Amino acid sequence: MGSVRAYISAKGEKRYEVYYRDASHVSHHKRGFLTKKAARAYQAANEVAVENGTYVDPRDGLMTIEVLGRQWIEAHASIWKPSYRRSIDTAWRVHVEPEWGKRSLNSVRHSEVQAWVARLSKDKSPSVVLRAFGILKGIYEMAIEDRIVVYAPTERIQLPKKTAKRHVFLTAQQVQDLAEAAGYYRPLILVLGFCGLRWGEATGLLVGDVDFDRNRIIVSRSATKVGGRIEVGTTKTGNTREVSMPGLVAEALRQQAAGKSPEDLLFTDEHGGYVRQQSAAEGRRGWYAAAVKQSGVPRLRIHDLRHTAASIAISAGANPKYVQRMLGHKSAKMTLDTYSDLFDRDIDRVSDNIDHLIEQTS
């Protein structure tokens, strides 16, 4: 049991202080209560918390965000993809640690976090702001789970909303035109534009990942640029999937694989190494930017070829589940959310097909 005592402050005012013990029988002391009722309420709340195992030692909240932040990052290091870990490290170093690192966990107020988010949002993209905020939120979630603090100032923060980027879709003929203009990299463009692989998945393919007998590409790894080097790991979702190949793609890959062993990279740059990421942004140089210009197709990111593959598959009558598996989405809901407008365009075609079936049976 604890106790409540009265004392006279330095200003000569009557105040109350509380003495109590935690679950480990360590003594604690808090003073400054204006009334005995407030002091007894604090004492009772602590006794209940000790009894039901939810007590949080107020001294733990003196830990700095810098200390727990580094623990939080290291605790997730083996779970995150190398590229994601690098982006988190950058956001921590640039946006979170300078602002909050020296602050104790229990000293940060909700209004301060909201003001910080607002300041970042003026100059940074929603993606940058959300990543930085997510780090601070994750640190406080860990602190609550570890019973270091009882309150997280990151709750109910108003955040900037990411606006969906307008997808650029090529027609099947435009994909072929772009592939022809890419020359040496024609097979790679065909895989991206018709099979929907992510860039890292396509450039990480080995010859043995192509099953010509079953007309399938087995996607199980991804080659990602981290810093200045290429690191090979699992796919974004960590799952292996099989993607079917149109005949045009299969024929191009037969030629691409000719003379290579199953362990060789399917696609390489002109020096035999991994193909590096490309950009079609105005003023940029590279084989992809040159191919976009030469072919006359709309300027599009190389990632938009993945959206093009989805568009072509949907136009060919593919259902959401097939498109989900082709793209390696975690769920069909994600596929529908991303390409809902494309599926909506098929409503009339489906109705026409049903009318045709009815006519055949009547």
Side-chain angles (χ1 to χ4, degrees), residues 231-282:
E231 292 194 11
V232 179
T234 61
T235 62
K236 185 174 182 179
T237 60
N239 298 324
T240 296
R241 69 184 189 278
E242 294 187 1
V243 179
S244 63
M245 297 183 290
L248 179 67
V249 176
E251 181 56 34
L253 294 190
R254 285 185 188 277
Q255 297 178 25
Q256 184 73 12
K260 295 182 178 180
S261 68
E263 295 77 25
D264 289 339
L265 282 173
L266 180 62
F267 302 113
T268 64
D269 63 16
E270 295 176 346
H271 304 289
Y274 284 99
V275 184
R276 298 283 175 160
Q277 180 66 274
Q278 297 287 304
S279 172
E282 191 169 357

Side-chain angles (χ1 to χ4, degrees), residues 77-93:
S78 62
I79 302 173
W80 292 331
K81 298 286 185 182
S83 57
Y84 184 70
R85 166 66 190 268
R86 184 178 177 84
S87 68
I88 290 294
D89 286 341
T90 300
W92 163 257
R93 187 180 67 255

Side-chain angles (χ1 to χ4, degrees), residues 120-293:
L120 278 181
S121 300
K122 290 181 179 179
D123 302 316
K124 305 299 179 183
S125 70
S127 295
V128 171
V129 176
L130 293 173
R131 184 175 295 121
F133 172 77
I135 294 173
L136 189 64
K137 182 177 175 64
I139 292 169
Y140 271 98
E141 288 175 347
M142 174 183 272
I144 288 176
E145 289 295 324
D146 288 347
R147 295 182 183 173
I148 296 173
V149 296
V150 294
Y151 162 75
T154 52
E155 295 299 320
R156 298 180 301 279
I157 295 294
Q158 294 184 1
L159 299 168
K161 293 183 178 180
K162 296 174 67 173
T163 56
K165 294 181 179 178
R166 186 180 67 86
H167 296 320
V168 178
F169 303 112
L170 300 185
T171 65
Q173 183 59 56
Q174 286 176 320
V175 173
Q176 294 178 71
D177 293 343
L178 179 61
E180 293 299 328
Y184 175 82
Y185 296 101
R186 174 180 178 269
L188 175 57
I189 294 295
L190 293 177
V191 167
L192 295 171
F194 287 118
C195 300
L197 274 64
R198 299 177 178 90
W199 174 262
E201 294 171 344
T203 56
L205 287 173
L206 304 181
V207 172
D209 292 328
V210 185
D211 186 338
F212 291 106
D213 293 331
R214 298 173 55 242
N215 213 40
R216 297 286 189 274
I217 298 174
I218 295 85
V219 184
S220 62
R221 65 178 62 82
S222 180
T224 306
K225 184 179 180 182
V226 181
R229 66 183 187 280
I230 299 293
E231 292 194 11
V232 179
T234 61
T235 62
K236 185 174 182 179
T237 60
N239 298 324
T240 296
R241 69 184 189 278
E242 294 187 1
V243 179
S244 63
M245 297 183 290
L248 179 67
V249 176
E251 181 56 34
L253 294 190
R254 285 185 188 277
Q255 297 178 25
Q256 184 73 12
K260 295 182 178 180
S261 68
E263 295 77 25
D264 289 339
L265 282 173
L266 180 62
F267 302 113
T268 64
D269 63 16
E270 295 176 346
H271 304 289
Y274 284 99
V275 184
R276 298 283 175 160
Q277 180 66 274
Q278 297 287 304
S279 172
E282 191 169 357
R284 296 297 293 272
R285 297 181 180 180
W287 63 265
Y288 179 69
V292 169
K293 183 176 181 179

Side-chain angles (χ1 to χ4, degrees), residues 15-59:
R15 295 288 185 268
Y16 295 88
E17 55 189 353
V18 177
Y19 291 85
Y20 64 95
R21 295 179 181 273
D22 61 23
S24 300
H25 303 290
V26 176
S27 296
H28 296 272
H29 175 219
K30 183 174 177 62
R31 48 176 23 203
F33 296 95
L34 297 179
T35 65
K36 180 180 286 189
K37 181 178 180 180
R40 289 198 180 282
Y42 180 83
Q43 175 195 3
N46 277 288
E47 289 176 351
V48 171
V50 169
E51 182 67 25
N52 62 26
T54 60
Y55 173 77
V56 173
D57 190 335
R59 295 175 300 184

